Amino acid sequence: PGEDAILPAALARGVEPWEEFLGIARDDRIPSDTREKAAIWLGRAAGERMAGQVEALASDEVVDLPVREAALYALSELNDVDAGITALLRIARTSPSIRIRERALFWLAETGDPRALALFEEILVR
């Protein structure tokens, strides 16, 4: 039931559930599917206001891997494209998790942004 409540909360007029979604995404007592959906909606609808928190969620080594991956996807979907790409670039360069760096690179590749291409070139010519 919790997972089914995420979409209506995200779409409701006059409601801004982003802080609650962040709390849901971080709460390991909540089923992973619900947490992933909350993380994805953070990026889709909250935009720039939550970019820093979504990046922190993706970078948090304590958070389950599927939720962190959902946060990476959310960064790729931010309305503020620049904030999302900047966060993904930072994560791709600094995350201690190989899987998270790999997924950040995947979402960067999807953007076609020149900064992403520069990062790939940097990695390939090392």
Side-chain angles (χ1 to χ4, degrees):
E3 183 180 348
D4 293 337
I6 297 294
L7 178 61
L11 299 177
R13 284 195 171 156
V15 176
E16 294 194 7
W18 318 127
E19 292 293 333
E20 288 82 3
F21 283 3
L22 183 61
I24 290 168
R26 289 191 169 282
D27 189 340
D28 61 2
R29 297 170 296 170
I30 295 173
S32 185
D33 289 346
T34 303
R35 295 171 62 209
E36 289 173 46
K37 283 200 187 313
I40 289 169
W41 276 103
L42 280 170
R44 281 192 177 152
E48 183 180 351
R49 294 175 290 175
M50 296 298 288
Q53 285 115 333
V54 177
E55 180 179 355
L57 180 64
S59 299
D60 190 339
E61 294 288 321
V62 176
V63 175
D64 294 342
L65 188 60
V67 176
R68 294 175 69 200
E69 290 176 344
L72 291 171
Y73 170 73
L75 288 170
S76 76
E77 292 286 306
L78 281 178
N79 293 334
D80 180 352
V81 175
D82 185 59
I85 291 172
T86 300
L88 287 169
L89 287 166
R90 197 170 18 254
I91 291 167
R93 284 189 168 106
T94 64
S95 177
S97 168
I98 292 171
R99 177 67 181 173
I100 292 300
R101 286 195 318 263
E102 172 189 288
R103 297 309 297 165
L105 289 169
F106 172 84
W107 291 116
L108 283 166
E110 294 289 310
T111 69
D113 188 278
R115 294 170 292 174
L117 297 175
L119 176 60
F120 293 130
E121 182 178 19
E122 177 186 319
I123 291 168
L124 292 171
V125 296
R126 278 189 201 174

